[in-house]
Amino acid sequence: MPGMVAFGRRWGIASDDLVFPGSFELFVRVLWWIGTLSLYTLHKGKFDCSGGRVLHSYLVVLLILLAFIILSLCAIVYVSAQGTITNPGPRRSIPVLVYVRAMLYVPELIWAILGAIWVSDDSQGCRPAEVGAVIAAVVASWILLLSTGVGVLFVFDPLGTTHPGSQSQELLGVRDLESSQGSQLLSTARSVAVRVWESRLRLLCCCLPRDESHRAAFSSIAQLVSGFFSDTDLVPSDIAAGLALLHQEQDKMEQCRDPDEALSHSPSSPIAEDLQAELEKAAHCMQFAVAAYGWPMYVYSNPLTGACKLSRDCCKTQSAEYDIVGGDNMGCHFSSVLHSTGLQYRDFIYVSFHNQIYEIPFFVALDHKREAVLVAIRGTLSLRDLLTDLSADCENLPVEGVSGTCYAHKGMSQAASYICKKLLNDGILNQAFTIAPEYKLVITGHSLGGGTASLLAILLRSSFPTLRCYAFSPPGGLMSKALADYSKEFVVSVVLGKDLVPRLSYPNMEDLKRRILKMVSNCNKPKYRILLQGCWYELFGGEPDDFPTEMDNRRKEELNQPLLGEESLLIRSSSSYQGLASEESPVHGSHLPLFLPGRILHITEDGPSRRSCFSQVRYRVQWSSETAFRSVLISPRMMADHMPDAVLLSLRSLTQDRPFNLCPSSLSNSHLNVI
């Protein structure tokens, strides 16, 4: 629902978000009140020290003050738990209760100051237990006051200022905002939102330089993010509740699906020769994609011995022959690459760990086992990489011989162009093929590296017609349909399970927002119950809860009409709202559709989705299409399935036909050895 309006502004918290913080503070205050009452009862009539009368008065007033605070918190928690997300009527008294609770902070602050003065001046001669109790009360008061201040900063919304213009905007209504006045208000709100998001990005990336490329990236990302949230009035807890509902809804649909609908393959069943061959090549290339991450991934994958192995090579003076390595001052990155790939120094043509926005690390090596010149590109590992990821505008990428519109993800397109220029203009590939002229070119990478590798393969295809590319967990919003179809000849994408990143695109995120709006609008349970049951389901599993909806009692002919709750969550008519009545495909809106590259190998776990950490897991694999990744799947493994070590583990399991444990710590120290 819309953020709560109090003290003349809208906040990033709703009236039904006070159940949990209020309950926690209530618990603390009750314990505090009981402790103060016990102290007062035990020492009643015995305050015979020099400041005894002051201490007596302090405890009496503190008990009364705590009692009023406890009553106000009880009222806030009770009222905040009423109604549903889109039915705030039973909670209309929350602002008044918040004002009352805020007024009680004034005497509490005064009493905390008086308590501190008594401890410092008038506590001589009093018993240590009495003095300690007062000190504890004073410290607790200050901790709670400071915690409240921090909480206010967290829920402060820079865009929440209410003024006559915003009131008139609400009175205009959703449909009337097509007028000139409504358009002007929305344009002003949009520009303010962009400036706020730019400020947040600059604060987050305060350690980065303020050059033109960074300013352009900040502006582009701010416009993207502010535009995505501009047509809704959801607070973060609404999104969390919607995700919890959507996860259970998706799990129910998955349980109802016929297991024979999808044709799957595993090493123990007949597999087409091309699939088996591609699996083996992908498993081999994945070790290089993992190695490109340098020492952090090596230590993560080898927690017991990784740091010790690298410590022998890090921080020591490098010999002159290491001149091919750039951007690795301590030598730890290159040392981890040597350990991970099993290659010798002489097998490397060029290694760069130079990292700027749109300029990501990569290395070029001779893979004698597969007779290939291999280019491995690193994935996201820094703030600069994250800015490259989030520069998600479309950029033209003309390719000779490709019919149709050619465009791609801006950040990865520029990163691919940077690497392409280095490879060609600096003669890196010429040097490699001079040494091994019969070898073929293979490009690989994971995540950001996978997307960049796919675009780099497209750029180099005309010069190297036999090249191959293996992109692991590439982003879904990568390239146009024309480029995606063109890349099927030489690019293979590998996606594990319910990985979020290959499903990330603006249309998919609009679809996710639309589904969240529908779930929170229709559910007739209070938010605190949704969140509690959602947390229980995520942690311990069980059967998905069958949440009744506000549509259960509606007549069938009313189901096509927009719900009042849905309209209340929207600031203006948007693609999200227009798509609420449809359960089909995502709404693209004004953003161009982007797709995964090449042919897609989809790896899934064979068996129940929930297992203990040390359970044995087998995988199955099948060729898939881009339509299978047109919606975001909510799952506890949506990020874990994106990790490069998890992708490598699944490929090793498929090629070696043996199960693996799910725990990273259970992996052997040779986890990254040559396959």
Side-chain angles (χ1 to χ4, degrees), residues 369-658:
K369 182 176 182 179
R370 296 284 177 173
E371 296 187 345
V373 174
L374 193 138
V375 180
I377 306 173
R378 195 187 77 180
T380 304
L381 199 64
S382 69
L383 275 177
R384 294 179 177 89
D385 296 334
L386 188 60
L387 292 177
T388 303
D389 285 321
L390 294 177
S391 297
D393 290 341
C394 291
E395 182 175 81
N396 289 329
L397 188 69
V399 177
E400 184 179 353
V402 179
S403 59
T405 307
C406 297
Y407 54 87
H409 182 287
K410 175 184 175 181
M412 297 181 196
S413 176
Q414 295 200 15
S417 298
Y418 158 76
I419 296 177
C420 183
K421 292 176 182 177
K422 295 284 290 184
L423 294 176
L424 297 180
N425 297 347
D426 294 358
I428 297 172
L429 290 183
N430 285 338
Q431 180 184 352
F433 285 106
T434 299
I435 299 173
E438 71 281 5
Y439 283 14
K440 294 182 179 180
L441 179 61
V442 176
I443 307 173
T444 190
H446 172 266
S447 189
L448 167 63
T452 304
S454 302
L455 296 175
L456 177 62
I458 291 175
L459 294 176
L460 294 175
R461 170 72 167 171
S462 58
S463 301
F464 303 91
T466 61
L467 71 77
R468 301 286 295 174
C469 175
Y470 292 90
F472 301 96
S473 309
L478 183 60
M479 59 180 64
S480 64
K481 180 65 173 174
L483 290 178
D485 291 339
Y486 171 68
S487 66
K488 291 182 187 296
E489 300 177 14
F490 52 91
V491 176
V492 174
S493 293
V494 179
V495 178
L496 174 62
K498 297 183 178 181
D499 186 355
L500 170 67
V501 174
R503 296 173 170 85
L504 276 183
S505 66
Y506 205 93
N508 285 5
M509 293 305 294
E510 283 286 348
D511 175 61
L512 177 64
K513 180 171 64 175
R514 178 182 66 87
R515 293 178 185 274
I516 288 176
L517 284 171
K518 195 170 187 66
M519 296 301 295
V520 300
S521 298
N522 293 343
C523 187
N524 68 358
K525 286 189 176 182
K527 188 191 298 183
Y528 78 94
R529 289 188 60 188
I530 298 173
L531 294 175
L532 282 176
Q533 295 176 14
C535 289
W536 180 271
Y537 184 75
E538 297 296 335
L539 293 174
F540 305 106
E543 291 298 320
D545 194 6
D546 187 16
F547 286 94
T549 71
E550 294 183 351
M551 297 176 69
D552 287 346
N553 298 325
R554 289 174 177 262
R555 296 191 304 273
K556 186 175 180 179
E557 59 270 18
E558 292 179 323
L559 297 183
N560 292 327
Q561 300 297 322
L563 295 173
L564 176 62
E566 289 169 351
E567 286 195 30
S568 70
L569 295 172
L570 296 162
I571 296 177
R572 60 181 174 85
S573 183
S574 68
S575 60
S576 299
Y577 178 72
Q578 292 164 1
L580 279 168
S582 172
E583 292 289 349
E584 301 300 327
S585 60
V587 181
H588 288 187
S590 60
H591 290 266
L592 297 172
L594 295 169
F595 299 88
L596 282 167
R599 295 184 296 162
I600 304 170
L601 277 175
H602 189 201
I603 302 172
T604 55
E605 292 183 12
D606 198 3
S609 59
R610 290 184 180 272
R611 301 180 178 88
S612 67
C613 184
F614 296 97
S615 298
Q616 297 287 306
V617 56
R618 289 184 179 272
Y619 296 92
R620 57 182 180 179
V621 62
Q622 63 181 3
W623 289 112
S624 187
S625 65
E626 62 269 12
T627 57
F629 302 91
R630 292 178 63 188
S631 62
V632 176
L633 301 181
I634 310 302
S635 167
R637 295 198 58 81
M638 61 194 301
M639 293 307 301
D641 283 346
H642 184 68
M643 294 299 292
D645 62 312
V647 179
L648 179 57
L649 182 146
S650 65
L651 288 168
R652 292 180 66 192
S653 175
L654 286 166
T655 54
Q656 299 176 13
D657 191 18
R658 62 188 179 93

Side-chain angles (χ1 to χ4, degrees), residues 86-103:
T86 54
N87 179 25
R91 302 189 297 272
R92 63 174 62 93
S93 60
I94 278 289
V96 176
L97 294 173
V98 169
Y99 291 144
V100 172
R101 177 66 190 91
M103 291 173 59

Side-chain angles (χ1 to χ4, degrees), residues 42-192:
L42 290 174
H43 296 81
K44 186 177 181 181
K46 301 178 182 178
F47 298 106
D48 51 0
C49 57
S50 59
R53 296 188 61 181
V54 176
L55 175 59
H56 179 270
S57 302
Y58 174 82
L59 293 177
V60 170
V61 175
L62 181 61
L63 285 171
I64 297 173
L65 182 59
L66 286 174
F68 278 109
I69 292 175
I70 290 171
L71 290 176
S72 67
L73 288 173
C74 288
I76 288 174
V77 171
Y78 175 78
V79 176
S80 182
Q82 305 305 305
T84 63
I85 295 178
T86 54
N87 179 25
R91 302 189 297 272
R92 63 174 62 93
S93 60
I94 278 289
V96 176
L97 294 173
V98 169
Y99 291 144
V100 172
R101 177 66 190 91
M103 291 173 59
L104 290 173
Y105 279 114
V106 176
E108 183 179 10
L109 176 62
I110 295 173
W111 223 239
I113 295 173
L114 291 177
I117 294 174
W118 179 87
V119 169
S120 60
D121 295 338
D122 299 329
S123 60
Q124 292 82 5
C126 295
R127 299 176 183 177
E130 299 169 357
V131 177
V134 175
I135 292 175
V138 171
V139 170
S141 295
W142 284 110
I143 290 176
L144 287 174
L145 288 170
L146 291 175
S147 301
T148 302
V150 173
V152 169
L153 291 177
F154 270 107
V155 301
F156 178 79
D157 184 2
L159 303 175
T161 303
T162 58
H163 46 74
S166 63
Q167 296 297 331
S168 63
Q169 178 180 341
E170 294 180 1
L171 294 174
L172 282 171
V174 174
R175 296 172 181 82
D176 294 336
L177 283 177
E178 299 301 327
S179 65
S180 59
Q181 184 182 2
S183 300
Q184 184 178 0
L185 287 169
L186 289 171
S187 177
T188 303
R190 231 178 271 122
S191 62
V192 172

Side-chain angles (χ1 to χ4, degrees), residues 1-4 11-14 16-17 85 154-157 197 200 229 232-244 516 520 527 531:
M1 65 163 293
M4 182 175 63
W11 297 83
I13 189 172
D16 54 356
D17 287 333
I85 295 178
F154 270 107
V155 301
F156 178 79
D157 184 2
W197 278 103
R200 290 170 175 171
F229 291 106
T232 60
D233 195 6
L234 295 171
V235 297
S237 60
D238 294 335
I239 299 175
L243 291 174
I516 288 176
V520 300
K527 188 191 298 183
L531 294 175

Side-chain angles (χ1 to χ4, degrees), residues 136-297:
V138 171
V139 170
S141 295
W142 284 110
I143 290 176
L144 287 174
L145 288 170
L146 291 175
S147 301
T148 302
V150 173
V152 169
L153 291 177
F154 270 107
V155 301
F156 178 79
D157 184 2
L159 303 175
T161 303
T162 58
H163 46 74
S166 63
Q167 296 297 331
S168 63
Q169 178 180 341
E170 294 180 1
L171 294 174
L172 282 171
V174 174
R175 296 172 181 82
D176 294 336
L177 283 177
E178 299 301 327
S179 65
S180 59
Q181 184 182 2
S183 300
Q184 184 178 0
L185 287 169
L186 289 171
S187 177
T188 303
R190 231 178 271 122
S191 62
V192 172
V194 170
R195 290 197 299 271
V196 168
W197 278 103
E198 281 192 52
S199 300
R200 290 170 175 171
L201 287 170
R202 284 196 295 269
L203 179 63
L204 177 66
C205 306
C206 58
C207 57
L208 299 182
R210 294 291 188 267
D211 55 26
E212 187 61 33
S213 62
H214 286 83
R215 283 194 293 269
F218 290 157
S219 177
S220 174
I221 296 169
Q223 291 180 12
L224 179 71
V225 176
S226 63
F228 182 74
F229 291 106
S230 64
D231 59 352
T232 60
D233 195 6
L234 295 171
V235 297
S237 60
D238 294 335
I239 299 175
L243 291 174
L245 292 170
L246 186 57
H247 180 203
Q248 297 180 61
E249 181 70 18
Q250 289 177 346
D251 281 1
K252 283 194 294 185
M253 294 176 62
E254 188 175 351
Q255 290 176 4
C256 296
R257 186 180 299 127
D258 186 353
D260 297 328
E261 284 182 4
L263 178 62
S264 62
H265 301 283
S266 67
S268 59
S269 63
I271 303 179
E273 291 184 2
D274 66 328
L275 178 56
Q276 182 63 37
E278 294 294 358
L279 271 177
E280 293 175 355
K281 294 175 183 176
H284 179 75
C285 288
M286 184 59 197
Q287 65 178 329
F288 293 93
V290 174
Y293 280 95
W295 69 263
M297 182 56 63

